Amino acid sequence: MANTSATGGYLQPTNTVLDGADLSDFIHDVIVGITGIDNTLVRPGFQENPPTRQDLLVDWCGFTILNRRPAAMPWTTQGDDDSSLSTNELFDFIASFYGYNCMSYAAILRDGLQIPQNSEIMNEAGIAVIGATDIVYAPELRNGRFFERADLTVNMNRNLSRTYDILTIVGVEGTLYFEDVATQEFNAGETE
């Protein structure tokens, strides 16, 4: 059982946020939705058991979330039953497109991220596009053959809010005792 501010000890978040594998799945769906590349041909860049590399002529995409950094200091909001810690986080992901249409697909993703209807879907998840880098043409030499590749790095901003069981004092029972203190009056500037 998790601790609360009443029990002491370390506090853990009580809610889930779009993070880890869920964030990777979200980026996957953005790339698939905007480019139209087959769902099975958009893959995380690093996998425990990597799938077989596609043929030279197949258009596909590998992506990786490169980094995550705070955009500003976090802030807290106290509710009746808990407290939330919120922060804006910047992160970048790189999408590496392969196949003869790699440059086209990279441009389709870059441009499609700016379409308001696409932005609305991301905004509902608390994510916004800040921008994208130049598309870098970077063919790979494998087994004596060049595989076409184009890389696009996308800069994102998102709002994260984690909830913790930090309780508030909403009422108290007991008796208050005050010490009787005599007061003296005097005027400033008067001397005895």
Side-chain angles (χ1 to χ4, degrees), residues 61-80:
C61 177
F63 68 93
T64 303
I65 297 172
L66 297 174
N67 56 47
R68 294 170 47 177
R69 60 204 178 278
M73 291 299 294
W75 64 94
T76 59
T77 306
Q78 184 67 49
D80 290 338

Side-chain angles (χ1 to χ4, degrees), residues 123-174:
N123 293 159
E124 288 173 8
I127 296 177
V129 176
I130 296 173
T133 63
D134 293 342
I135 297 169
V136 178
Y137 181 62
E140 290 182 13
L141 180 61
R142 291 188 179 259
N143 300 326
R145 297 177 74 187
F146 277 101
F147 283 76
E148 301 283 329
R149 186 182 100 201
D151 294 339
L152 175 69
T153 302
V154 179
N155 317 110
M156 309 288 273
N157 183 12
R158 69 181 184 150
N159 181 271
L160 288 176
S161 186
R162 300 185 199 276
T163 304
Y164 295 86
D165 277 336
I166 299 174
L167 309 174
T168 61
I169 298 175
V170 292
V172 71
E173 291 183 30

